[in-house]
Every structure is written in C-alpha cells, then in structure tokens.
Amino acid sequence: TVPGTVIAEGNEAPPSTIDRTELYVASSTGDRSLRVSEAVAAWGWVPNTHLLWYEPATFQQVFGWLYAGTGDIFVVEDDGGAPKRVVDEDGIWSVLHLQWDPTGQRIAYVRARRDEPYTLTVTDRSNGRISPLLEIPYIGGDRGGPAPVPQIWWAPDGKKIYTGFTPLGPGLTSTTSPKGISYELGKLLVLEIDVGTGTAKQLVSAP
C-alpha cells in the first residue's frame, strides 16, 4: 500500500440486478475521497510508485449479462489526475494474470482470445512498447480450447520471467511452439524466459 491512502472497493451500484464494482481512493485521515472508475474488473498498486492500476469493466453478454474487463489497463496517480492507458487491447483481447515487474515499469500478462493462440506479453508503461515472448498454441479437440493460462512470476532483478502450465487437449499428442519448446499433454511445463532476448529455457517437464 501507499502511505496515507487506502482503497475502498465494492460499492455496489448495479443496473437492475447486475452488480458492478466501483473503485475509490481515500486518504487515511478521511479528508478526501476520489472515485477512480465506476466499474472495474481488476485493480492494484504499481510496485515502487504512487500509481494505481485498473482494468475498466463494461456491461457485456458473456454466458449471460455481467460486467467484464475491457482488456485495457490504466494507471493513475493516487492523488488524482488524468488516467493514462498503458495497455490498449480495444476490447478484442482479454488480459489475464497481469503481473508488474519489481520496478513498476513493465507489465507481463497473457493476451487471450477465443479460438486463437494465447501470447505471454510484456508491455513497457513508459513508451507503450509491446514484446510478445511466448505463444501458447490453440489445441482444439472435440470442444476446442487453448492450453491452460500460465501463471507468471518475475525474477527479483526483472530480467527474466518464469511461467508454468500443463497443456491439455483431447485427441492431440503434442505440438511445438515457434521457440522450439515441446508441449506434451498432461505434463507440467516450467519455463525461464529472458525478457531482453525472448529466449526460453525449459526447466521442468514432468508428469
């Protein structure tokens, strides 16, 4: 948390019977309160800064009507000011498992879209540069679907990312990513990825 501020989340203001989550910043002394967004899907503090990040939510039909994330990520100073968009997916891609690096300068996340490969991506918030690091293949099968969305961990120095997942998919034995990492179904795969070069090293492939 940032000294002198607190977050209040969960102010329900639903249209009809659909809930939404509003996001506020309030001072710990109670002398000011600022509404950051009227509907958010996710939020948190940016490490080593006084910035708050959030993903807006809009009223969408996703297996029923609900507030769902837009795929855009904004940052805003904790004392107000104009929000700055740092990830712009234009409602086409979802942003999953977002993790900031230890410096608060870069975001790692999984770009996800139905019926297409997922991509582990890094975006620099200062210049907007997007660096795709790893493609996770679309597997298909009887019902279709990608490999499970990988978890993401930054190394303490911010130079590498670690990720792991277990590929699944009916009727498929294996597939290979463009980086030459073999995805074997049902086996845990743990990778070390150099953020600067994009090279991936397989650390674990176990049943």
Side-chain angles (χ1 to χ4, degrees), residues 49-105:
T49 72
H50 285 260
L51 295 172
L52 180 71
W53 72 266
Y54 65 95
E55 180 186 6
T58 57
F59 198 43
Q60 305 174 31
Q61 188 172 18
V62 185
F63 304 110
W65 287 97
L66 75 163
Y67 277 93
T70 62
D72 301 324
I73 303 298
F74 290 81
V75 295
V76 64
E77 293 284 349
D78 64 352
D79 58 356
K84 177 185 176 183
R85 191 196 308 261
V86 294
V87 174
D88 183 1
E89 296 295 356
D90 199 27
I92 298 175
W93 294 83
S94 297
V95 172
L96 306 176
H97 292 190
L98 183 150
Q99 295 289 334
W100 288 88
D101 79 346
T103 68
Q105 289 297 317

